[in-house]
Amino acid sequence: MPATHVIADLHLIDDREPAARRLAGYLAGPARQADALYVLGDLFDVWIGDDGSIGPHAGTLDAFAALAESGVPLYFMRGNRDFAVGAAFERRSRLQILDDPTALTLHGVPTLLAHGDLFCSDDVAHQAFRAKYTDAGWRRRRLALPLWLRRTVARRARRRSTAAKRTKPAHIMDVNTATVAETAAEYGARRVIHGHTHRPADHLDEGLERYVVADWRPEIAEVLIVDDDGVTRRHLDPAGEFAA
């Protein structure tokens, strides 16, 4: 049965880590059976610009390109960690960049795909940052900075983010279900699929289906599978093959 695959929040640092090797195995194996693959942001832990980040991830980008060459359409949505991906990334990986959110019909169901931070409306500080990183002009100005300065800014931002997570109430970093419902209604969606929160779960919120894509961790990695029968989750073993 034709199936769409969805992944998000791998937070890759470089091609040498186990998660990157697991991804390469998946792209060369199970992903070849998909009728499309969607990556809903934060594929990388940080992306300071194509000029500074393609090198450490060249193997990963080439693995995506090989999957595209096999005939599987590939789509990418910027996350808050990799908002700076650009045209060179798109050419090298053959991942087509989508707007966040994007509405489409998947296997007969009107569906809204999103990275997910759009729905975390109670996190006022993050929404202020999101308003910046989703603005093309702001991204251009950021990418015009010298590479050394972008590296410094990225390191500082990661430290601030880690510190903030220790003090923010847990509910602030999760979605606001009213915001999800309002956004879904705006786009006419009956199903919402997103990542970002690192809280994988299947929800039914007053008739609206919502699926949170799992982040990848050393102990577990997961692919969300959408087909005519609905939505399921498949675990990957360390080699990137579907676990039994």
Side-chain angles (χ1 to χ4, degrees):
M1 177 186 299
T4 299
H5 292 195
V6 185
I7 60 174
D9 297 292
L10 278 66
H11 290 267
L12 300 177
I13 296 171
D14 58 39
D15 285 339
R16 298 170 296 179
E17 62 181 312
R21 295 195 295 272
R22 176 183 265 161
L23 175 62
Y26 161 70
L27 296 176
R32 300 292 173 107
Q33 304 305 313
D35 61 357
L37 170 62
Y38 290 83
V39 183
L40 300 186
D42 287 1
L43 175 62
F44 309 103
D45 196 53
V46 64
W47 191 273
I48 60 173
D50 294 353
D51 54 342
S53 293
I54 283 180
H57 300 286
T60 292
L61 302 189
D62 291 345
F64 276 109
L67 177 59
E69 185 66 26
S70 76
V72 179
L74 307 179
Y75 303 96
F76 178 85
M77 191 172 285
R78 292 182 172 97
N80 52 290
R81 295 296 192 105
D82 44 24
F83 61 82
V85 300
F89 161 86
E90 202 168 15
R91 288 192 300 270
R92 179 74 178 254
S93 67
R94 297 182 59 180
L95 283 150
Q96 178 183 335
I97 297 176
L98 300 177
D99 291 335
D100 179 12
T102 286
L104 71 170
T105 299
L106 279 182
H107 301 276
V109 179
T111 301
L112 188 67
L113 302 179
H115 173 55
D117 57 344
L118 168 67
F119 306 133
C120 299
S121 52
D122 295 325
D123 192 339
V124 177
H126 183 81
Q127 292 306 313
F129 173 57
R130 177 182 162 79
K132 293 179 180 178
Y133 88 72
T134 55
D135 179 78
W138 185 88
R139 291 198 303 270
R140 282 194 299 271
R141 291 190 295 274
R142 185 69 168 262
L143 291 170
L145 297 173
L147 194 55
W148 68 265
L149 182 54
R150 278 180 271 149
R151 288 195 179 100
T152 300
V153 170
R155 284 195 296 269
R156 290 174 179 172
R158 287 200 300 276
R159 287 198 296 268
R160 287 196 300 269
S161 176
T162 300
K165 287 177 181 177
R166 297 193 188 105
T167 58
K168 284 182 182 179
H171 75 275
I172 286 180
M173 295 183 286
D174 202 356
V175 305
N176 180 304
T177 55
T179 301
V180 176
E182 290 166 6
T183 309
E186 177 185 349
Y187 286 89
R190 300 201 331 254
R191 176 182 288 163
V192 176
I193 299 174
H194 70 86
H196 178 69
T197 64
H198 296 201
R199 300 179 185 191
D202 304 344
H203 301 271
L204 186 62
D205 304 322
E206 298 185 359
L208 177 68
E209 296 177 38
R210 179 166 65 89
Y211 298 90
V212 185
V213 184
D215 56 306
W216 284 25
R217 308 173 188 182
E219 67 275 14
I220 191 169
E222 188 177 276
V223 179
L224 201 71
I225 309 291
V226 185
D227 60 26
D228 291 348
D229 290 335
V231 181
T232 55
R233 299 173 185 270
R234 294 291 303 273
H235 292 167
L236 296 172
D237 66 22
E241 296 290 338
F242 281 141

